[in-house]
Amino acid sequence: MAMRNKVSETVIRRLPIYHRIISDVITKGIERISSQELSKLTGFTASQIRQDFNNFGGFGQQGYGYNTEALRNEIAEILGMNYEYKTIVVGAGRLGTAIADYEGIKNSGFKIVALFDHDETKIGNFIHGVEILDMEKLDEFVKENSIDVAIITVPKTVAVDIIYKLSELDVKGIWNFAPVDVYVEGTVIENIRINDSLFKLSYYLKNND
Amino acid sequence: MAMRNKVSETVIRRLPIYHRIISDVITKGIERISSQELSKLTGFTASQIRQDFNNFGGFGQQGYGYNTEALRNEIAEILGMNYEYKTIVVGAGRLGTAIADYEGIKNSGFKIVALFDHDETKIGNFIHGVEILDMEKLDEFVKENSIDVAIITVPKTVAVDIIYKLSELDVKGIWNFAPVDVYVEGTVIENIRINDSLFKLSYYLKNND
DNA sequence: TAGATTGTTAATCGATTAACAATC
DNA sequence: TAGATTGTTAATCGATTAACAATC
């Protein structure tokens, strides 16, 4: 799988969907699948699916389709799911601990090594074997353990400063759950605007047809 | 604000962003704003912003720009944020309670009236004044209280069945956090694939330029 | 009025779909 | 081989950007 011209974000957004659906199919013991069948499962057109895959190289075989195992591995490789990222969770409230607890995280290559919080009643507790540390020790910990990724679940008011600081400390990726968009040169930031999705629901509740 | 031709989902997805940013601006006491200034704040082009708004009617004034208060109200109206939806949370684990607890929910017109769980140690507890009820009573409760919206935070394995059931019980909207895509005729379902966003992060960590 | 900025039409760009030759 | 289905080019569609007349 050689990487060529920049692939558009529209395509990247579909890759995790392909990965999930192909994984489901593999679980059912199915070894090959055509773009036609994938179309039924994903709702995308067969043509689009072939186009998407061919951004990264030819994964299929004419007259046969795609081998499900091979296809899943290719997509996992493209998405970087085979790497391990040392990850911390900043903010050990309900959301932070929910995320630390979440099955999907572990299987995706993000290894959570610590949580951080100011609350003294929380410090020292363990969430699924991972300790909650004092927020005061954040800088030191990040430096000493060369942390790759931080998941931000602190309130909006402090989130921005923490993200700037983590960027300076050379954290490479940020998964930000605080409802503010932050962009920092040289750091990959995914802003999760959970609220926005709720408004979308609200819109379609009103304009349902 | 009269509604005309179907507005594309691309536009709808931007509306919550406009709403959030205009709200911030209002907090700062700013009363008018041009598409040019909004462009700087949102990262969308001024032209696109004007196009987006004009899907719903002319909110601005030539030579002046947009009145921030009026604009926010128009967008809130379009998004249906002025309605109140009777909402339940199905699954009172860490994620379910985090969501029930979440500031953003209350301000967006979704009023959480109950949580549901099987776990007897949780039943009867209160999260921010909202009681956790026995999952067995879900059907009865939904019927008697004409629930509009359900937030699903139960595991994947049971999520699909619960969503089908809720649809039959006439719940109008579903905010689904289980990592399965569900579509049911006549019910508005927003599937939140929190995992997919993580994979996107993973991709950009690998292909950062 | 003159200046500013919208609303809207036209031009461009990018993404999706259709079609089919290549080939397993 | 014949049938199936990919990989890829060309056609279409939709979304974004540019431009500017309308007008506050």
Side-chain angles (χ1 to χ4, degrees):
Chain A
M1 185 227 60
M3 187 64 51
R4 62 231 58 205
N5 310 334
K6 200 168 175 10
V7 177
S8 82
E9 186 168 334
T10 351
V11 176
I12 305 305
R13 258 204 299 265
R14 282 191 292 264
L15 292 180
I17 301 173
Y18 293 131
H19 186 271
R20 178 159 39 83
I21 283 175
I22 294 157
S23 298
D24 286 352
V25 162
I26 290 171
T27 307
K28 287 184 191 143
I30 295 167
E31 278 175 17
R32 63 179 266 203
I33 195 161
S34 67
S35 57
Q36 188 58 242
E37 292 164 308
L38 266 175
S39 170
K40 271 185 212 133
L41 295 172
T42 59
F44 310 135
T45 65
S47 195
Q48 182 169 59
I49 291 166
R50 294 202 300 280
Q51 290 271 31
D52 281 353
F53 293 165
N54 281 84
N55 277 294
F56 305 96
F59 300 159
Q61 211 174 347
Q62 277 108 327
Y64 173 87
Y66 301 86
N67 176 281
T68 50
E69 283 274 0
L71 184 56
R72 180 179 60 178
N73 292 343
E74 291 283 3
I75 295 172
E77 175 62 28
I78 294 165
L79 288 173
M81 291 168 66
N82 304 327
Y83 292 72
E84 189 173 275
Y85 298 106
K86 285 179 89 174
T87 303
I88 57 171
V89 178
V90 185
R94 289 189 203 276
L95 183 61
T97 51
I99 288 168
D101 209 20
Y102 188 47
E103 264 316 305
I105 304 274
K106 284 158 230 161
N107 305 330
S108 59
F110 293 84
K111 186 178 169 55
I112 294 174
V113 295
L115 293 90
F116 289 88
D117 208 288
H118 265 310
D119 185 341
E120 287 184 10
T121 65
K122 288 176 184 167
I123 295 169
N125 288 352
F126 284 80
I127 305 291
H128 256 66
V130 180
E131 194 173 1
I132 302 178
L133 303 176
D134 188 343
M135 191 75 91
E136 299 295 323
K137 293 186 185 149
L138 180 62
D139 296 42
E140 195 188 322
F141 187 92
V142 168
K143 266 187 251 172
E144 283 179 8
N145 296 276
S146 17
I147 294 303
D148 301 303
V149 172
I151 302 173
I152 308 297
T153 64
V154 294
K156 187 176 173 171
T157 41
V158 289
V160 182
D161 286 343
I162 290 180
I163 291 172
Y164 283 142
K165 184 163 71 176
L166 289 169
S167 295
E168 272 171 36
L169 290 168
D170 263 352
V171 166
K172 283 164 200 64
I174 305 259
W175 206 32
N176 175 32
F177 282 83
V180 274
D181 289 359
V182 188
Y183 300 97
V184 183
E185 184 86 12
T187 308
V188 183
I189 303 184
E190 268 283 301
N191 294 298
I192 308 289
R193 298 175 298 231
I194 218 164
N195 248 338
D196 291 2
S197 130
L198 194 60
F199 290 143
K200 221 174 110 211
L201 178 67
S202 176
Y203 175 85
Y204 284 111
L205 281 169
K206 209 186 142 206
N207 302 92
N208 195 10
D209 34 11
Chain B
M1 188 227 59
M3 187 64 49
R4 61 231 59 200
N5 311 334
K6 199 168 180 357
V7 177
S8 82
E9 188 170 332
T10 351
V11 175
I12 305 305
R13 257 203 301 266
R14 283 192 291 265
L15 293 179
I17 301 174
Y18 293 131
H19 187 271
R20 178 160 39 83
I21 282 176
I22 294 158
S23 297
D24 287 351
V25 162
I26 290 172
T27 307
K28 288 184 191 142
I30 295 167
E31 278 175 17
R32 66 179 263 205
I33 195 162
S34 68
S35 56
Q36 188 58 241
E37 293 164 308
L38 267 175
S39 171
K40 271 184 213 133
L41 295 172
T42 58
F44 311 136
T45 65
S47 195
Q48 182 170 59
I49 291 167
R50 294 203 300 279
Q51 290 271 31
D52 281 353
F53 293 165
N54 281 84
N55 277 294
F56 305 96
F59 300 159
Q61 211 174 347
Q62 277 106 327
Y64 171 87
Y66 300 86
N67 176 281
T68 50
E69 283 275 2
L71 185 56
R72 180 178 61 178
N73 291 343
E74 291 284 2
I75 296 173
E77 175 62 28
I78 294 165
L79 288 174
M81 291 168 66
N82 304 329
Y83 293 72
E84 189 172 275
Y85 298 107
K86 285 179 91 174
T87 303
I88 56 170
V89 177
V90 185
R94 289 189 203 277
L95 183 61
T97 51
I99 288 168
D101 209 19
Y102 188 46
E103 264 317 305
I105 303 275
K106 283 156 230 158
N107 306 330
S108 59
F110 294 83
K111 187 179 168 56
I112 295 175
V113 295
L115 292 91
F116 289 88
D117 208 289
H118 267 311
D119 185 341
E120 286 184 12
T121 65
K122 289 177 184 165
I123 295 168
N125 289 352
F126 283 79
I127 305 289
H128 257 66
V130 180
E131 194 173 2
I132 301 177
L133 303 175
D134 188 345
M135 191 75 90
E136 299 297 322
K137 293 186 184 148
L138 180 62
D139 297 42
E140 195 187 321
F141 187 92
V142 169
K143 266 186 250 170
E144 283 181 7
N145 296 277
S146 17
I147 294 302
D148 300 304
V149 172
I151 301 173
I152 308 297
T153 64
V154 294
K156 188 177 172 171
T157 41
V158 289
V160 182
D161 286 343
I162 289 181
I163 291 172
Y164 283 142
K165 184 164 73 176
L166 290 169
S167 294
E168 272 171 35
L169 290 168
D170 264 352
V171 166
K172 284 164 198 63
I174 305 260
W175 207 31
N176 175 32
F177 282 83
V180 274
D181 289 359
V182 189
Y183 300 97
V184 184
E185 184 86 11
T187 307
V188 182
I189 304 184
E190 268 282 301
N191 295 298
I192 309 288
R193 298 173 300 230
I194 218 165
N195 248 337
D196 290 2
S197 129
L198 194 59
F199 291 143
K200 221 174 111 211
L201 177 66
S202 176
Y203 175 84
Y204 284 111
L205 281 171
K206 210 186 141 204
N207 303 92
N208 194 11
D209 35 10

